[in-house]
Amino acid sequence: MASKQHPKAPSARVSDAASVEILERAELSGASTAFSRVHDQPSPCKFGTQGICCRLCHMGPCRVTARAPRGVCGADADTIVARNFLREVAGGTAAHSDHGRHLVLLLRKVAQGQGGDYGIRDETALRRSARAWGVEEAGREPAEIALELSDLFLSEFGRQEGSLRTLQLAPRARAGLWERQHVAPSGIDRMVVESMHRTTMGVDHDHRSLLTHAFRTAIADGWGGSMVATAVSDILFGTPSPVRSRANLGVLAHDAVNVVVHGHEPALSEMLAAASLDPSIRKAAHDAGAPGGINLAGICCTANEVLMRHGISVAGNFLQQELAVLTGAVDMMIIDVQCCMPSLPEVAAAYHTRVVSTAEIARTVGAEHAPFDIKQAWEAAKDLLLGAIDNFRRRDPAKVYIPDHSEPLVAGFSVPAIEYMLGGTYRASFRPLNDAIMQNRILGVVGIVGCSNPREQVDAFTNALTRRLLSENVLILQTGCAAIASAKAGLLTPETALQAAGPGLREVCETVGMPPVLHMGSCVDNSRLLEAATRVVREGGLGDDLSQVPVVGVAPEWMSEKAVAIGCYFVASGIDVVLGRPFHVGGSPAVTQFLEQEATGIFGAAFHTCPDPDQAAERVLSILRARREQLGIHQQSERKLMDMADRRVFDGAAVHRGCKPHGH
Ligand code: SF4
Ligand code: MSK
């Protein structure tokens, strides 16, 4: 059913020209999209927004008001808000970590020779991970290493007692702090289960206790499930390195079969990427009247996975999933898990587009379901592509409108790739970055991550903040839909971004041949940001812990509970997080104070909420400057390259801290 006329023009609700054009057409046709439905949900429930609605038992639901400050059981606003917050963190942790588990199970099958068409594509990544997690690799066969490593990873999910082994990857000072604060997590699954137990009616009622467990659970996500997911993806599919591509709806093609992969898990999309190049598939597409063959493109983080490793183009980020279908040019949209809207089949019904779900745990009413069996992955991928080719014949050219907008980009910045850019093959190192920060040519490093949200103009906050911070000599790391937002704005090309960069940042980037905005992957790959920040600590000269380094995280347009978990593991790691949208915790001043102030006393970092990009930029800059001041590097240093004597001092300090770079 058509929604009410939206009071804001499409150009006020989305930022990029392609989305504006499609949204204008959608409104003319009365198509329902997130942009029209958000207008049908104009004032979110204030109890939900403030986190003071509880439906954890059937004496309720209860809502806290001035007249009724407690639920039937006696729970007050502090308890209810903290329980709701912890459940969000548990949900986000579960999503990232279950993704990681699926990959570990695949690695294990590969190691046992039962991985079907999958194999170990990156033996260097396997050996690097083995060394990082303390698995002997010298003189052993890849399969043997992979089996022991996958068993170790699986034990991290089920560990009942003691801390996660993967916490060893954090700086020693941070891991020690977690132990002292009793937030070092045990098994990843155990943390999620315990979160659900603590929040069930009549268990944990102390907001500090609940929130402390939220941070503990989030550490199990960032340093556990997500870190493992990234490591195993690199082993199975390759460690990303810089690659050129394009982003926005204009990557869809008139003369090719458009297959859009959407979701998060890379196993099927990797196989689709390979199958799309198979001569028999290309011939079938050609025979169907598509001289361009198969045009594989991505949405959301499945897009980021295949972009990072293959340069496959990006059709859009989260809020462009429906817009892609509305081009009338998508012959098949293949969805896996997370961030796939249940509305897709309804949007697709007006076109020939087939929406195909592939994950056993993720069904969508109205979508076709083609369960993905890894044992027949190659055949499954080819079958899907043949189905898309067949459907291409049903495409109605009269209904097709592909906006002529896409931007070039460079992505693929894994930590080894950054290290290589900074130091070259023989002296791959973060030293040049640390030196540039210490010399004040780079003010600091900021991770801009997260989603897009139809309650704000899509991508606007992310891109305004990115431009402003670049001009202030801040190196930007991006993941997820925020990275795609910047790609669509042309900010992921070295040339454009360098024009926006301040003089110090520009000079460093030009010297080492590195762009000032680095696309580091999907939302699960925020683990790469933790890894990069840890490398900075281990390189020496910028403190012993992540809470000292001039690094900040920002989630400008977040919407997912995964972003809540990510924010919590950044803060628990000692990295301040600026939110463009507040959490649903305003109903409890005590919870707000814990997250925004008391967290600093525990972790050395906290949350900050800044609902506009200028305010967010000022907050980020003040945090970076404060950290620089504490390190004593706030004055502009005389520019001086490190000589060997300096280097020995830092190397000695690193050894003293027991910090060895990964893989050494
Ligand atoms: Fe109400 Fe307490 Fe039940 Fe929540 S747990 S619904 S506050 S009675
Ligand atoms: S896809 S979680 S909208 S980043 Fe990872 Fe994008 Fe956020 Fe989903």
Side-chain angles (χ1 to χ4, degrees), residues 53-64 70-76 80 83 199-202 205:
C53 172
C54 182
R55 45 179 295 277
L56 291 177
C57 87
H58 285 243
M59 293 188 286
C62 302
R63 306 186 306 186
V64 172
R70 290 178 183 270
V72 175
C73 68
D76 63 10
I80 291 173
R83 284 195 303 213
T199 53
T200 205
M201 188 264 151
H205 303 126

Side-chain angles (χ1 to χ4, degrees), residues 263-264 300-301 318 339 450-452 480-482 523 559-560 562:
H264 283 77
C300 278
C301 284
F318 174 61
C339 302
C451 324
S452 44
C481 290
C523 42
M559 64 85 201
S560 168
K562 290 182 287 173

Side-chain angles (χ1 to χ4, degrees), residues 96 262-264 299-302 304 317-319 321 337-340 449-452 479-484 521-524 526 557-563 566:
H96 286 143
H262 173 23
H264 283 77
I299 295 267
C300 278
C301 284
T302 301
N304 286 324
N317 51 2
F318 174 61
L319 285 167
Q321 57 187 287
V337 293
Q338 304 169 23
C339 302
C340 303
V449 308
C451 324
S452 44
T479 59
C481 290
I484 299 174
S522 65
C523 42
V524 93
N526 281 309
E557 302 176 43
W558 69 278
M559 64 85 201
S560 168
E561 56 191 9
K562 290 182 287 173
I566 292 166

Side-chain angles (χ1 to χ4, degrees), residues 4 6 53 204 206 237 248 336 351 426 474 515 580:
K4 294 185 278 289
H6 199 289
C53 172
D204 196 352
D206 179 331
F237 310 126
N248 213 340
D336 53 78
Y351 302 89
Y426 297 107
V474 173

